[in-house]
Amino acid sequence: MPIVDFNNVDLLEGFWNDRYKLNITSSIPNIIKRFENTRLAALRFTFNEKNNLSHRYYDSDSFKLIEAISYVLLKNRNDYKDLEILCDDLILNIKNHQLENGYFNSYYQLNFQELAFSKRGDHELYNLGHLIEAGIAYDKATNKKDLLEVAFKYIDYVILRFVKNKDTKFVTPGHEEIELALLKLYEYTNNKKYYDLAAFFLEARANNKLDTYEEFANSRYAQDNETIRNLKSVEGHAVRAMYLYDAMSKYALINNDSKVIKALKTLYNDLLTKQYITGSIGSYRIGEIFTIPYDLNNLTAYSESCASIGEMMFMLDLYAITLNHKIHDQIERILYNGFLSSTSLDGKAFFYENPLEIRRKEINKETSVIDIWRQKLPITKRVELFDCSCCPPNIARFVASIAKYIYFTKDNDIYINQFISSKTTINNTSIIMNSMYPHEFKISLKINCVEKQIIKVRIPEYSKEIIVNGLAFSKEKGYLVFSLNKGESNVDIEFITSPLLISANPLNVSDANKVCLINGPIVYCLEEIDNGSDLNSLFIKDLKNISKEYKKEYGMNIFKVDGYRKLNSNKPYAKSYKFIKQELVFIPYYTFANRDEADMLVWVNKK
């Protein structure tokens, strides 16, 4: 695989190394603490909450946690023996409770074992997918194969039931994930039966009559309205769609299926019309779904954290097919905004949804009707545990493996796509990258080659000018290209940019006559704590008078800009309103809701 695995990359001092360490010291321990009496208890079959014996997705939460821990152990095993002991205990319980036929699912085994594979929406194959990924990760980290052997045995049972006997009540899973995991397992073991089973599930989409859907949804919800080669529109549940598209990308990477690749390119282009400025996706709460292009309401944005992760997973594998540098522009936007906002600055609490506006007076405004009929808006404060807590362990495994997004190699050329302080050795060429990102958009590269080597550095979409010191270069398809000879080379690169006010596509009616402040890939927002109440009364004209201030706790600058407040005349309508000048304080979007609960706004009125 041309993607340089995170295991071959070491993070160095900088923004993402701080968050990598925070993930280990704060996020993962707190997830374990919060899961102890629910998810982990379910795996141990000691869960006994009255009238709620486990849950259909509990196993997957635990498997993602094991995967995240495995990635930590892979790099720092000797320092975290306690995490390995925890995983060994959980895996022993899984192994001991696996049925003789190979089936394992705490929810069904604790509740109604006889109904296995009867409800498409109950996440059985989704859970298995995460079991497979955890098994691979733990084997890589410890060379302990018990969890992987559980997965092997379970997969054989799935093949028996779904492929040979065909006696299940559904054919393709309601929540995609197993397809992706099976292709990873095929890459890991080179056993073709895992590729064949992945192909079975991928090729069966829209081709069978046994499948049922959620009671509130139709075939589009599960991306099952067309075969994988005929999908043209990004629809349905946002996370499920991204996991399917990533599986399709891996599938096409393996078999070079031109029709699947064509479909993926079409889906990617459609995805960009359904993406918030923060890179997040999913604009409708019911079903966590996509709607039509440019339907991007800020107040009700669903923008699930897992969807942003799935989006980057899909894009990374699509890049491996296309080498389109613009894909990494999108990954960068998601990374520093829609994804980064998911976690509190102390690493302990998380958002499931990541809205682009908070107006607290809108919450429960429908006082004449009972709660069930009121509009549901995203929460305004991150929490440590959700009823559906898929996001925290997913975030943990992503951060633990973030280094795989930095480097790429193909035809012996080395690509540098994300500017994260790190070191690696690729093709016998050692690279040390020191990055000022995202405080300043500068990188320094120290490269040592044993023979001639081509290095390609992505030119970010926001870069107005580039300053390169130390080496000659050319430009090619969105990259700075350095042709290096044997020996050591050093180069400093600065991508020149400045804060900008950008406007939305006119089809995006939610952001008509509004602007968003960005600096490089960083999206900024207003928060009530700095700017007072009624943020929709604030206007901005231009950036002629703008100042910056570095905030250590954010790892980047905030901006102060001259703006205006439209005064309330205490009349519902008026011919004109008075404006007064007010300084506007913009903070990085990802940092909102880390102080007191407050209103927040990304898109600001244009004066």
Side-chain angles (χ1 to χ4, degrees), residues 301-318:
Y302 207 70
S303 300
E304 187 191 340
S305 300
C306 284
S308 290
I309 293 171
E311 197 178 9
M312 289 186 284
M313 289 162 48
F314 159 48
M315 289 182 179
L316 186 64
D317 283 323
L318 182 61

Side-chain angles (χ1 to χ4, degrees), residues 166-182:
K166 300 184 184 299
D167 60 355
T168 56
K169 293 296 175 78
F170 58 91
V171 176
T172 57
H175 195 314
E176 297 92 329
E177 155 65 15
I178 190 173
E179 307 91 336
L180 178 60
L182 286 166

Side-chain angles (χ1 to χ4, degrees), residues 40 53 111 144 171 189 197 225 246 264 282 294 305 325 343 399 432 452 467 473 479 481 491 505 507 522 549:
L40 305 188
L53 295 175
N111 291 285
K144 296 176 182 177
V171 176
T189 65
L197 184 58
N225 53 304
D246 191 17
L264 287 167
Y294 302 108
S305 300
H325 67 283
T343 308
V399 174
I432 297 175
K452 288 186 176 182
I467 298 175
F473 67 93
Y479 284 90
V481 181
V491 62
N505 187 298
L507 296 177
I522 312 300
E549 177 184 339

Side-chain angles (χ1 to χ4, degrees), residues 428-442:
N428 294 317
T429 296
S430 69
I431 301 172
I432 297 175
M433 175 165 53
N434 287 299
S435 167
M436 300 288 286
Y437 266 66
H439 171 45
E440 293 180 356
F441 308 117
K442 301 177 182 178

Side-chain angles (χ1 to χ4, degrees), residues 468-491:
V468 180
N469 291 316
L471 290 174
F473 67 93
S474 60
K475 292 183 180 179
E476 177 186 305
K477 296 181 179 179
Y479 284 90
L480 299 175
V481 181
F482 300 94
S483 298
L484 305 183
N485 294 317
K486 179 181 178 180
E488 185 175 297
S489 302
N490 295 278
V491 62

Side-chain angles (χ1 to χ4, degrees), residues 269-289:
N269 289 330
D270 188 54
L271 177 65
L272 298 185
T273 70
K274 299 172 181 179
Q275 184 186 61
Y276 286 93
I277 187 65
T278 58
S280 59
I281 51 175
S283 56
Y284 192 58
R285 165 178 285 272
I286 298 175
E288 307 176 11
I289 62 170

Side-chain angles (χ1 to χ4, degrees), residues 55-74:
H55 196 282
R56 62 181 182 173
Y57 45 64
Y58 273 11
D59 289 357
S60 64
D61 292 347
S62 296
F63 297 149
K64 280 181 283 188
L65 176 60
I66 292 172
E67 186 181 354
I69 291 172
S70 299
Y71 294 156
V72 173
L73 296 177
L74 194 61

Side-chain angles (χ1 to χ4, degrees), residues 329-346:
D329 288 333
Q330 290 297 322
I331 290 174
E332 186 176 55
R333 183 179 295 276
I334 301 162
L335 191 60
Y336 287 101
N337 300 288
F339 169 74
L340 201 51
S341 66
S342 65
T343 308
S344 62
L345 293 177
D346 65 7

